Amino acid sequence: MKLSRLLSGAAAVALSGILAAVMSLSSAEPAQAEQTIRAADPSVIRVGSTYVSVQSTGGGIAVRKASSTAALASAPARQVWSDTAGRGEVWAPEIVTDGGRYYIYFTAGRGSAHRMYVISSAAADSGYTGETRLALPDDKWAIDGTLFTFNGQRWFVWSGWAGDTNVEQNLYIARMSSPTTPTGARHVISQPRESWERVVGNPFINESPEAVKDPNGRLHIVYSANGSWSDQYCLADLRLRAGGDPTYVWDWYKSNGCLFGSHRATMMSGWDPTLYVNGPGHHSFVLLNGDINTSPPAGQRFPLMFHAVPKGTPYAWENRYWYTGTFAWWGSTTYSRANVPGPTADTGWSLKFFE
């Protein structure tokens, strides 16, 4: 009897220790993404211990600097560029660094005239040059472009039209000989042809591409699918096969559903819909200097910014907020396809996103 009681007491102590550890781990995890700026299309990088964001401000572009992603909301927004030439709507600026300079890529224009522009400076929040229009191959409607370097080559990836009419938005990639100079042809790498990315159309869209490198060094382009005017907006993944050519469309494998979205019907098997927001999309991996070669390793969660509409609020562009979330690498994930050239399946790292 005494031995039984002693064992029971020891078990209770052990159990209480386990529960305390679990509670400690649980309390360390963010329970919910923090709603920050009432805006769309976040772009955030880390420079040393400072977080730098960029956003459109109607007829211009503003930069904020803060000690954390959450603190960006209360940081002053410093105007770094104004549309003095009357170029039109200013959309989705993206900030990166290259060779010690800051580059902000953005879309400006009206209707079918939307094109990509770039400004640059030696400082994050002042001294920017006047805008230069990027001479992208074929000179078609283009939005949401950004620069990255992979295997020693600069690349530019964006969302655009194949022709001159708004039928669908594809993802394109082109080489860059400098941060401001495209070279060679454009190459389509994704089109919105899967059923789960055609729930909302007119047009059907793939947009907001963001590059990141997985723990095996493979390139991913995470993008937004379905219309941004709908709560079906979501994030999906393109994964380049090992040793693949970024310009060859069939070397890219697409996730079999949304990886971050608010509707279970469009989610990839094994991924759950959001709990607190609707239509998460147009994200930003918060990378050191905005460099994909600083992409995080496996085993931890890392900062993410995205925009969404809080659940219970009508889904509309004016109700979008920036949110602080996290992401982590998810191993041994197979993306499959059919009726196209090349192997029908590819296994590697995928991503999990957390509110």
Side-chain angles (χ1 to χ4, degrees):
M1 181 67 70
K2 290 181 180 178
L3 179 60
S4 173
R5 288 178 180 172
L6 182 61
L7 289 172
S8 298
V13 171
L15 179 59
S16 65
I18 292 169
L19 289 173
V22 169
M23 291 176 68
S24 175
L25 286 172
S26 298
S27 64
E29 293 290 355
Q32 183 175 345
E34 185 170 345
Q35 185 186 90
T36 61
I37 302 169
R38 188 164 191 159
D41 309 335
S43 176
V44 183
I45 64 175
R46 180 170 66 85
V47 181
S49 59
T50 300
Y51 292 85
V52 181
S53 71
V54 64
Q55 65 188 103
S56 59
T57 56
I61 294 171
V63 169
R64 300 173 189 248
K65 295 167 65 177
S67 59
S68 69
T69 53
L72 287 168
S74 57
R78 186 168 183 176
Q79 192 94 349
V80 298
W81 177 82
S82 296
D83 184 17
T84 56
R87 296 191 180 279
E89 298 162 325
V90 178
W91 292 347
E94 288 280 327
I95 188 165
V96 302
T97 64
D98 187 294
R101 287 186 68 83
Y102 293 86
Y103 292 85
I104 296 176
Y105 300 90
F106 62 95
T107 304
R110 297 179 179 88
S112 61
H114 282 91
R115 297 295 188 272
M116 292 301 310
Y117 293 82
V118 61
I119 57 178
S120 70
S121 175
D125 60 353
S126 64
Y128 278 86
T129 62
E131 71 274 18
T132 297
R133 179 167 156 176
L134 287 182
L136 292 174
D138 298 335
D139 189 26
K140 302 298 182 183
W141 187 90
I143 67 169
D144 295 352
T146 191
L147 179 82
F148 66 92
T149 298
F150 178 66
N151 286 347
Q153 170 66 56
R154 290 187 184 93
W155 300 91
F156 196 77
V157 62
W158 73 98
S159 176
W161 298 351
D164 297 314
T165 56
N166 192 8
V167 177
E168 63 181 9
Q169 290 175 223
N170 305 321
L171 297 185
Y172 294 93
I173 196 168
R175 291 179 174 86
M176 300 282 282
S177 60
S178 77
T180 59
T181 309
T183 182
R186 68 171 179 166
H187 306 270
V188 65
I189 60 171
S190 181
Q191 295 176 286
R193 301 294 173 83
E194 301 299 321
S195 60
W196 52 267
E197 56 185 351
R198 295 175 68 85
V199 178
V200 175
N202 193 29
F204 299 110
I205 67 164
N206 284 177
E207 65 181 17
S208 313
E210 294 287 338
V212 68
K213 259 174 47 171
D214 72 27
N216 288 342
R218 292 173 64 178
L219 179 62
H220 295 246
I221 301 291
V222 178
Y223 67 96
S224 299
N226 291 310
S228 63
W229 55 91
S230 159
D231 64 4
Q232 295 281 353
Y233 206 48
C234 71
L235 294 184
D237 181 36
L238 295 174
R239 183 174 63 213
L240 186 67
R241 72 169 181 84
D245 176 359
T247 69
Y248 182 53
V249 63
W250 304 123
D251 277 354
W252 291 96
Y253 286 78
K254 184 176 289 192
S255 57
N256 297 115
C258 300
L259 302 183
F260 195 34
S262 51
H263 289 265
R264 185 170 294 279
T266 56
M267 299 299 291
M268 182 163 163
S269 177
W271 272 251
D272 293 319
T274 52
L275 297 173
Y276 307 110
V277 301
N278 283 327
H282 205 120
H283 68 299
S284 180
F285 295 114
V286 184
L287 301 178
L288 179 63
N289 299 322
D291 181 2
I292 72 164
N293 296 296
T294 70
S295 295
Q300 303 177 47
R301 293 191 188 183
F302 292 89
L304 174 81
M305 297 291 288
F306 61 93
H307 80 224
V309 172
K311 284 188 182 293
T313 302
Y315 198 93
W317 279 347
E318 61 269 22
N319 290 334
R320 294 176 294 183
Y321 287 84
W322 288 14
Y323 284 86
T324 62
T326 56
F327 75 98
W329 293 108
W330 203 257
S332 301
T333 303
T334 298
Y335 297 165
S336 59
R337 63 192 188 186
N339 304 317
V340 298
T344 58
D346 179 81
T347 299
W349 291 98
S350 186
L351 306 96
K352 289 257 182 171
F353 297 95
F354 304 91
E355 297 174 89

